[in-house]
Each structure stands twice: as structure tokens, then as C-alpha cells.
Amino acid sequence: AQKLKNISSLVKTCLPDRVSRILEDIGRLAESMGLNAYLVGGVVRDILMQNTNMDIDIVVEGDAPALAKRFAAMKKAKVSEHFKFKTAVVIFRDGFRVDFATSRTEYYTNPASAPEVENASIRNDLYRRDFSINAMAVKLTGDDFGLLLDFFGGQKDIIDKKIRVLHSLSFVDDPSRCLRGVRFAVRYGFAVGPHTEKLLKHAVSLKLLERVVGQRMYLELKYILSEDSYVDALLMMKKYDMLKFFHEKLAIDDFKLDRFAVLKKINGWYSFQFEDKLELWISRFCILFADLNRQEMKRLASRFEITGRLYDELADTFYKFKHAVWQVRRLKDVKASAITGIFEGMKTEAVTAAVAVLGQEYEWLLKEYLTVYRFVTPSVDGNDLKSMGIPPSGIYGEILKEIKRAKLDHEISSKEEELDLAERIARERGIKF
Ligand code: ATP
């Protein structure tokens, strides 16, 4: 690979036409306002690696919200401004977003007030970023549209496949970068550079991750578990002894690796069968913390500072997952109705996690449940029961439930048999009709 200076043609080939036109429009508009604008961060990294990434982040040397507002007006899009941080986001009608931020350091226009440093403002902005591969910018204004600004060797690190921080205090400034580093390393199959690795180990030995606020820890874990190569990430976190910052009992052993392998197989099957996309990180989260009891899960949630609905949902999913594993294990007779009774009302992510923990030999059960059992409903309904003369009451629910059970277990198959069963139940209960 060769290092490039102007990547305008790469920008055009890697981004959809619409997006590269948007970038040109932003460049022209910024220029007409006397501002410099740059495309920055992850999207630049991904363009250089020829990956798709539609997270468009713009840094402006000057008033970013002013540019965003003019741009939104031009495109008849919505804009929302964050006054304190001098940022703004433009949201198009179809939901496509462009983020605008004011470069972190003031741009010295008056030569007498500051040393003449070319691109001082954007350079400083990039210097505050996490890794060299994430600290590049593409100029959108002026004749050199597409000019790559790479002050810290990001391009070389992409070629060499290295994750490198920009300075020795990077992990001290923001220890959550330890987790981000793992995420990017596994995503791209990069190694952590030797000096960066030393700094990372040092940060771990100083327990700097304890200082990271809970919500950030939670989000970084969620992002890691959302990566295709999350298992590699967990193994890397184990190697660097970082797992304990989530929970002192958190361990990755061969048993868990086997569970993750079964989950992968199940999810492969699922995505082949069904259209909807599962939130894979949820299943992975359940398996990862499967050994925790209620008390320990509560502790984890308080470490993550998650409360309210977020906590309720996650805890509900997790406990149902645990309970399902326990219930299936103690079933003497694995009947369709029993399985349906256990899995019904669970998020699919929790069901797949439960089956992964139960093991490969339960895979057929999951397939039956997801493709057949969960769609089984009685053919008769309340109207049929009414026509039979059964007076409406709570008994309807009971009858329909029993019909569903019998149907699931293949004790009955036709509507006539359902009606017979309804009649039998009603008579057994002594209902007069
Ligand atoms: P992804 O592809 O996972 O979205 P990204 O690089 O776009 O990766 P974001 O979290 O959206 O990641 O961050 C956007 C950019 O902001 C990064 O590329 C990086 O330059 C900068 N950044 C984000 N978080 C940090 C951090 N903790 N410290 C320094 N810079 C950061």
C-alpha cells in the first residue's frame, strides 16, 4: 500500500454519491462563509481502509452551528444545536445525519497574537483523539478538496496494522480508551503497538478503568459485544486483565467459549431463516454474565449506573434467560407445550442465549420453537365458544389455553377436535350450556 495525500477519488468511491455530494456542498458553503471544514474521525479511517461508514463527522474551524444551520436551510433538513459544546447535528427527512463540531482550539487568524502554525486548530483537534487511525481529517474547503491531513501517522498505522495512541498520557486522560483500543484492534485485526501496549498495561496496573463512569463502561461493553469478533475482544481483555473492571467474577474459560460457539451457529441459522435483525450483544451479554446471581447482577447494574427502564429491561431479559435455562434443565418430558410455556414472552435474544447455554443438543428445540411452536394458536376463538352457548367468562381463557396446549402436543389437530375439547372442559367445570 502507498501513502496518499489527496483522497478525493477514494472518498467518492467509498461513499454513496449522495454523501460525497453532501460533502462537496458543505465544503462550498463553508468556503463562502470564510470557514474551513473537514471530514474527521472514524469515517476517514474507514475510507482509507475501503470500508463503508456513514457516520459523517465534520469539524469546522469557526462557528460550526452557524454552518450547520445554513446547510440545513439549504437542504430543507432539521438542525439541532448544542450551545455549550458548539456542536450541531443536521438531520435529513430520511433520518440521515451529519454531525458538526467546532474545532477544539481557537483558530489564530491574527499573526501577531499567535505563532504561525499552519492548520493549528484542526491539528489540535485531532491531537485530542484516541488513536492515530482515528485522528485523520480530509479537507472539504478550498481547491484541495480531498486533501488528507495525517499529522500522527494514521495512514502508516493502517498499513502496518497498528493501534497507537498519540501521546503517553492518553490512557490517563481517558481510560475508556483502553476498551476502545481493544475494540478497534479486534475489529480490524490490528495489533496494539509496543509502546501503546506498555501504556495500556500500566493503565491497567494503576486501575485507571475504575475511574471510568458507569454508563461509559456499559456502552463500551455493549459496543465490544456488538462486534463480530467480540470473542477475540474478550480474550484480549482477559490477556490484559481488564475483565475485572466489569465484575470481579467475570471470567472467560473454555466452557464459555463453547457457549459462544453454539450461539454463533444458532445466530447463523436465525439470520438465514428470518428477516429481523437480532441485537446480538444482548445474547452475548447474557452468556457472559450467566454465572452471576441476582445480587451480583444488581451490583453489576450499579457499577454501570443503569437505572429506570434501561435497568428493568436488561434485568428482565437476563433473569428470564437464567430462569429458562433452569426450567428446561429440570424438564422430565420435553414437550412442545412445556417449551413454549418457558420461552413465550422472552426476547428472542434471551431464548437463543438460553439454548446456547443448554448446549448443542438443544438446538433442534430452539428451531422447533422458533419456526413452529411459537406460531401455534387455537383455531377456535371466543365467538366459537359463544356460539356453542358457553357463557362468556374467565373460562374462555382457560379453554383456549388448554386447546393451545393440546394442539402443541399433537393431542388434537382439527377444529372439530378443538370444539370437542372446549365442550369437555366446560362440562367438567359444570358449566351449563
Ligand atoms: P465506530 O466505527 O465504532 O463508530 P468511530 O471512530 O466512529 O468508530 P466514535 O465513538 O463514533 O467512533 O467516535 C468518533 C471519533 O471521535 C473517533 O474516530 C475519535 O477520533 C474520536 N473519539 C471518540 N471517542 C474518543 C475518546 N474516548 N477519546 C478520544 N477520541 C475519541
Side-chain angles (χ1 to χ4, degrees):
Q2 198 189 348
K3 284 207 266 172
L4 304 166
K5 275 223 140 86
N6 190 301
I7 63 165
S8 63
S9 58
L10 251 190
V11 171
K12 282 175 192 145
T13 51
C14 286
L15 297 176
D17 284 351
R18 173 191 177 202
V19 180
S20 51
R21 269 200 298 276
I22 282 176
L23 295 180
E24 286 170 346
D25 289 344
I26 291 172
R28 271 194 294 272
L29 182 62
E31 188 150 14
S32 76
M33 294 170 72
L35 304 168
N36 276 325
Y38 304 88
L39 180 67
V40 297
V43 65
V44 178
R45 169 199 72 214
D46 284 327
I47 288 171
L48 285 167
M49 295 172 76
Q50 308 201 25
N51 295 329
T52 34
N53 182 335
M54 301 273 275
D55 290 340
I56 304 300
D57 284 314
I58 306 290
V59 163
V60 183
E61 287 176 329
D63 190 349
L67 175 61
K69 277 185 263 185
R70 289 269 297 269
F71 178 66
M74 194 170 107
K75 298 285 180 191
K76 299 197 170 52
K78 280 195 193 148
V79 59
S80 109
E81 180 177 357
H82 197 302
F83 295 96
K84 192 172 152 209
F85 295 115
K86 295 188 196 150
T87 61
V89 53
V90 172
I91 304 169
F92 287 70
R93 286 220 190 100
D94 63 353
F96 182 72
R97 326 164 26 118
V98 180
D99 282 287
F100 291 80
T102 304
S103 68
R104 299 287 192 92
T105 10
E106 280 314 310
Y107 184 46
Y108 302 111
T109 41
N110 177 359
S113 71
E116 256 316 338
V117 183
E118 209 188 345
N119 298 316
S121 177
I122 182 71
R123 189 184 193 284
N124 283 331
D125 185 284
L126 295 172
Y127 189 58
R128 305 174 72 134
R129 290 169 187 264
D130 48 5
F131 304 107
S132 64
I133 58 168
N134 288 342
M136 292 177 279
V138 175
K139 198 169 178 206
L140 302 178
T141 38
D143 295 334
D144 38 11
F145 176 95
L147 179 75
L148 180 71
L149 276 71
D150 175 14
F151 302 106
F152 314 108
Q155 238 195 133
K156 180 175 187 318
D157 287 335
I158 287 177
I159 293 167
D160 297 346
K161 297 179 175 289
K162 286 274 149 60
I163 299 296
R164 230 171 21 81
V165 289
L166 306 186
H167 57 83
S168 296
L169 289 177
S170 189
F171 293 128
V172 179
D173 288 348
D174 178 357
S176 75
R177 291 173 184 166
C178 299
L179 301 169
R180 291 176 59 86
V182 168
R183 174 154 60 95
F184 293 117
V186 301
R187 183 195 293 171
Y188 300 118
F190 285 14
V192 178
H195 183 59
T196 298
E197 185 178 41
K198 236 179 258 166
L199 299 171
L200 179 69
K201 286 179 175 163
H202 192 56
V204 170
S205 72
L206 292 176
K207 300 193 167 67
L208 295 183
L209 275 163
E210 284 179 357
R211 284 200 230 140
V212 177
V213 295
Q215 291 260 348
R216 177 56 34 206
M217 289 296 279
Y218 168 72
L219 278 179
E220 291 299 341
L221 181 65
K222 175 175 165 178
Y223 295 152
I224 283 174
L225 294 179
S226 303
E227 294 285 336
D228 286 340
S229 34
Y230 73 102
V231 173
D232 292 337
L234 294 171
L235 289 172
M236 193 166 176
M237 285 157 73
K238 177 179 174 167
K239 171 175 142 197
Y240 291 124
D241 198 19
M242 285 155 74
L243 292 170
K244 63 183 180 207
F245 298 110
F246 291 97
H247 195 283
E248 71 272 9
K249 266 180 72 176
L250 184 54
I252 306 293
D253 50 20
D254 287 345
F255 179 77
K256 225 166 246 176
L257 292 176
D258 280 347
R259 306 302 99 190
F260 288 135
V262 177
L263 182 71
K264 183 175 178 175
K265 231 180 126 225
I266 293 171
N267 284 329
W269 171 83
Y270 190 91
S271 63
F272 190 71
Q273 290 283 331
F274 302 103
E275 287 277 301
D276 61 319
K277 284 232 178 308
L278 296 180
E279 284 190 86
L280 299 179
W281 77 271
I282 294 178
S283 320
R284 295 162 179 173
F285 179 96
C286 287
I287 298 176
L288 184 62
F289 294 108
D291 317 324
L292 303 197
N293 60 33
R294 267 176 190 262
Q295 217 44 45
E296 290 162 340
M297 183 41 64
K298 280 210 176 105
R299 284 243 340 260
L300 182 68
S302 71
R303 168 66 182 110
F304 285 153
E305 295 165 49
I306 48 179
T307 52
R309 236 187 66 195
L310 189 58
Y311 172 74
D312 293 341
E313 270 180 33
L314 193 66
D316 182 63
T317 305
F318 180 74
Y319 295 138
K320 280 186 175 152
F321 147 79
K322 292 256 302 183
H323 193 58
V325 172
W326 181 80
Q327 281 183 304
V328 174
R329 276 200 183 125
R330 58 194 278 281
L331 277 183
K332 289 208 180 68
D333 194 0
V334 188
K335 281 190 183 171
S337 61
I339 289 301
T340 308
I342 294 169
F343 288 160
E344 238 171 10
M346 283 173 68
K347 257 184 183 302
T348 308
E349 289 86 345
V351 176
T352 53
V355 174
V357 167
L358 286 161
Q360 188 102 49
E361 64 271 29
Y362 287 87
E363 219 182 299
W364 67 273
L365 236 181
L366 175 89
K367 294 181 179 173
E368 287 290 300
Y369 170 70
L370 289 177
T371 54
V372 184
Y373 303 168
R374 66 171 166 159
F375 301 115
V376 171
T377 50
S379 307
V380 303
D381 59 14
N383 287 328
D384 294 310
L385 302 181
K386 216 166 158 184
S387 316
M388 289 170 68
I390 303 174
S393 75
I395 192 80
Y396 275 30
E398 259 177 71
I399 292 174
L400 294 174
K401 202 171 153 197
E402 177 56 17
I403 290 176
K404 179 172 163 179
R405 187 207 62 72
K407 206 172 168 182
L408 271 165
D409 293 342
H410 292 296
E411 290 169 12
I412 54 173
S413 54
S414 66
K415 187 160 178 181
E416 283 67 46
E417 287 174 310
E418 290 185 26
L419 292 168
D420 287 349
L421 180 58
E423 192 176 326
R424 209 161 62 233
I425 297 169
R427 293 210 189 285
E428 274 168 21
R429 297 297 157 85
I431 291 171
K432 301 221 178 333
F433 62 101

